[in-house]
Amino acid sequence: MTQDILNKWKLYILTNDNGMKVSFLNFGGIITDISVPNRHNQLENVVLGYKNYLDYEKNSNFFGAIIGRVAGRIQDSSFTIEDQTYTLVANEGDHHLHGGDGGFHQVVWQTTPFHTDDKVGVKLTHMSLDGEGGYPGTIEVSVTYTLTNNNELILDYSGTSDKTTALTMTNHSYFNLNGNLAATIHNHHVTIESNEFVELDTDLIPTGKKIHVVNTPFDFRTERKLVDGINSLSAQNRVANHGYDHYFILKQTNQPNICVKEETSGRVMTIKTTQPGVVMYTSNTLEDDLELAEGKSKPYLGVCFETQASPASLHHEGLPPVILRANGLYEKQTVFSFSIEG
C-alpha cells in the first residue's frame, strides 16, 4: 500500500499475513514505523519516528534512514585512496558524519515494489554522481526492504562504482521494544557476538585501538542490560555521553549476531548480518521534547544497531575496510527478526 505525503514523497506500508507492518518513505528510505505484537498479541510500534512528516526534512537524528555513502564518522572530513586525498563536507565539527548533509538520508529514492506468496517488499535505487559530497566515483546503489511471513525484515544492500571509492551503508532505526515508547531502553537485555570494540576519543572518533570486552561494560557475549553502560563510570561509557556509541567487531557466525529482549512486552529482536561489525548507539544525546509519533523524545528512548564496516579503517590499519574497488560489487544483508518470549 502507498500513500502520498506532502505531495512530494510516497509512504510505503508493507504488511504480512501475521499483521506485522513496516512503513517507510521513499525520501531517505526512512522507516517510520515497525509494528509487531507483544505477548498479548497487541500490535505496537517499536521504532522512533516523527509525528509530523515535515520534520524528516532535517532529521538531524537520522531516524530510520538509509545512511551513506559512509555510515559513521570520518576523521577530519578527509581520506586518501590510491595516493589521492579527498576532502568531504564537514557536518559535525571538523568531521564528516553519515554521508554529510546531502547523504542518502536526504535523497528521494526510486522505488520498485514486488510481492510473492510469502513476502512483500520494495527495491529502492539511487545514483550518486562523481564528486558528490566530495566522494570519488559515480555509484549506483540499491537497498531492498523485504517483509516475510516469518516476521523478518530483510535489508539487502548493493552498489557499484566506476572509480575506487568508500562505501558502507546502514539503516539508522532507533528500536524500543517496549512498544509505543512506553519506557526507555534501560532494561533492554542485549547479546552481541563480539570480543572487541573500538576505542573512541572525546570527539567520538575511533582511535583505531581495539579493546577486548572482558571485564568491561562492553561484554555482551552473555546477556546484559543496557543500563549497565548508561550508569557506568567507565571512561569509554563516559566519553560517549554516558552510554554506548561504539563499533563492535562481530564474530563471523551463521547464528544471529545480536539479540535484544524486553521482558514487559515479551518482544525479542534478533539481528543477523553479513557486515563485519555494528555501532550500538543508545541515544545518549537525543534531544528532549521532539514531537514523536507516540510522545516527546528524551535520551535513552531508543537503541540503534548500525551494521556496517568501519570508516576508521580509512585512517587506521586492522579494521574492517570500507573501500569499494572500481567496478567491484558491494553486497551486504541485515535481517531483523521479531518474536515473542514467555
Side-chain angles (χ1 to χ4, degrees):
M1 186 172 84
T2 62
Q3 297 177 8
D4 286 325
I5 302 294
L6 306 174
N7 295 317
K8 57 182 176 179
W9 304 333
K10 289 190 180 297
L11 177 72
Y12 288 85
I13 303 173
L14 308 178
T15 306
N16 69 10
D17 290 350
N18 308 314
M20 178 179 166
K21 182 179 71 172
V22 177
S23 304
F24 60 92
L25 298 168
N26 62 343
F27 176 69
I30 294 168
I31 294 174
T32 62
D33 184 291
I34 299 177
S35 291
V36 295
N38 63 12
R39 63 162 51 93
H40 303 297
N41 207 33
Q42 295 171 313
L43 282 174
E44 294 172 317
N45 180 27
V46 296
V47 294
L48 275 60
Y50 287 113
K51 181 177 181 179
N52 185 342
Y53 286 106
L54 274 173
D55 289 334
Y56 286 115
E57 288 193 305
K58 293 185 179 179
N59 200 14
S60 60
N61 294 289
F62 304 93
F63 289 137
I66 296 170
I67 303 298
R69 294 186 186 190
V70 172
R73 294 174 174 87
I74 296 180
Q75 180 180 340
D76 298 325
S77 303
S78 68
F79 61 89
T80 300
I81 299 178
E82 297 174 342
D83 298 323
Q84 175 71 44
T85 297
Y86 298 93
T87 301
L88 310 177
V89 176
N91 63 323
E92 190 180 62
D94 294 332
H95 311 298
H96 177 85
L97 175 65
H98 289 334
D101 294 335
F104 291 169
H105 66 292
Q106 288 288 295
V107 302
V108 175
W109 292 67
Q110 301 300 308
T111 52
T112 306
F114 62 89
H115 69 275
T116 67
D117 289 342
D118 60 353
K119 60 189 176 184
V120 61
V122 177
K123 182 176 183 179
L124 300 97
T125 57
H126 175 64
M127 178 182 288
S128 177
L129 299 178
D130 184 25
E132 282 188 359
Y135 288 95
T138 293
I139 64 171
E140 296 183 27
V141 292
S142 71
V143 182
T144 302
Y145 293 163
T146 304
L147 176 62
T148 76
N149 285 331
N150 293 323
N151 284 6
E152 297 169 321
L153 175 60
I154 304 171
L155 276 58
D156 286 297
Y157 302 87
S158 70
T160 59
S161 174
D162 62 356
K163 292 182 181 178
T164 297
T165 191
L167 180 68
T168 185
M169 295 187 284
T170 196
N171 175 269
H172 207 284
S173 290
Y174 292 67
F175 292 94
N176 184 321
L177 299 187
N178 291 287
N180 290 350
L181 305 186
T184 63
I185 47 88
H186 284 70
N187 291 321
H188 280 41
H189 297 256
V190 175
T191 308
I192 304 176
E193 293 289 338
S194 172
N195 293 327
E196 295 177 306
F197 71 99
V198 181
E199 181 184 63
L200 296 177
D201 69 14
T202 54
D203 281 349
L204 301 178
I205 297 297
T207 66
K209 179 182 178 182
K210 293 182 281 190
I211 300 175
H212 202 284
V213 299
V214 68
N215 295 325
T216 76
F218 294 81
D219 190 352
F220 289 91
R221 294 174 299 177
T222 56
E223 184 178 295
R224 77 185 308 154
K225 289 184 178 181
L226 292 176
V227 68
D228 291 354
I230 293 170
N231 290 343
S232 168
L233 297 179
S234 156
Q236 278 298 292
N237 289 124
R238 284 187 285 116
V239 82
N241 298 292
H242 302 284
Y244 299 95
D245 195 3
H246 295 76
Y247 187 76
F248 291 79
I249 297 171
L250 295 171
K251 299 177 188 176
Q252 299 307 305
T253 172
N254 289 324
Q255 303 302 314
N257 307 93
I258 300 162
C259 181
V260 188
K261 299 179 181 179
E262 200 287 306
E263 291 179 334
T264 302
S265 70
R267 291 186 179 94
V268 178
M269 178 177 72
T270 61
I271 304 172
K272 185 175 180 180
T273 186
T274 60
Q275 291 278 18
V278 61
V279 173
M280 183 172 71
Y281 171 54
T282 45
S283 57
N284 321 317
T285 57
L286 184 60
E287 307 96 307
D288 287 311
D289 293 332
L290 298 176
E291 291 282 354
L292 304 182
E294 291 87 17
K296 298 284 189 177
S297 67
K298 58 185 175 181
Y300 310 114
L301 202 54
V303 55
C304 302
F305 295 96
E306 303 161 52
T307 57
Q308 59 179 92
S310 173
S313 64
L314 294 167
H315 295 92
H316 302 284
E317 299 289 335
L319 297 174
V322 299
I323 298 300
L324 174 64
R325 297 296 172 188
N327 303 312
L329 178 62
Y330 175 91
E331 278 191 313
K332 300 294 180 182
Q333 183 183 78
T334 298
V335 181
F336 299 92
S337 300
F338 297 88
S339 60
I340 299 297
E341 181 176 83

